[in-house]
Amino acid sequence: MISGRVLQGVVSAHLLAIAGQPVFAGVYLSGDFDALRLHAAGANIVTSIGYLQVIVAVVVWVRLRRYWPFMVSLGVVIAETVQYFAGQDGALWLHIPLGVITVVAVVVQFIAVWRRPLRRTEETARA
């Protein structure tokens, strides 16, 4: 169904955006202080795509009767939001490990939505 394909596209965009964040952080930590501006802009993009992903996951839940994409997306967005504010407050002890966790979570979700495309099964269609 189209909502499953849209979720695949949004998760793919989320993965591309979040993969750039460690690169910008590394460039900043290497001494290029302008990269912090790129890292902040990337954080805004990643967070925005994450919220969009939650909305698409709600549609998948309603239309395809698959709730796991919503639950995973919500968990990722909550972690990204905490990470966002931890980064703004300079709490690197939380920001960096949570960043690693969110990147891994989006990679795992990317694999899941592409490996097992979301379709409405006959059992859920009859219900």
Side-chain angles (χ1 to χ4, degrees):
M1 297 211 71
I2 192 149
S3 53
R5 292 287 183 197
V6 171
L7 182 66
Q8 287 176 328
V10 172
V11 171
S12 298
H14 199 175
L15 178 62
L16 288 173
I18 205 168
Q21 286 301 91
V23 174
F24 296 141
V27 171
Y28 168 69
L29 292 173
S30 296
D32 184 356
F33 299 113
D34 290 333
L36 185 59
R37 195 172 25 239
L38 293 173
H39 186 67
N44 291 330
I45 292 168
V46 167
T47 305
S48 298
I49 294 172
Y51 289 128
L52 176 63
Q53 182 176 317
V54 168
I55 293 167
V56 173
V58 168
V59 173
V60 166
W61 188 0
V62 169
R63 296 198 61 182
L64 302 180
R65 307 286 188 230
R66 305 289 181 161
Y67 71 91
W68 70 263
F70 170 74
M71 299 305 286
V72 174
S73 297
L74 183 62
V76 167
V77 164
I78 289 170
E80 285 176 347
T81 302
V82 171
Q83 182 197 13
Y84 184 93
F85 288 110
Q88 283 190 332
D89 289 342
L92 297 181
W93 62 270
L94 178 61
H95 182 72
I96 293 172
L98 202 50
V100 172
I101 291 167
T102 56
V103 170
V104 170
V106 173
V107 167
V108 169
Q109 191 174 23
F110 173 83
I111 292 167
V113 298
W114 280 98
R115 201 157 179 235
R116 294 178 53 187
L118 298 168
R119 293 188 190 100
R120 191 170 190 172
T121 62
E122 289 299 318
E123 295 167 6
T124 58
R126 281 186 237 139

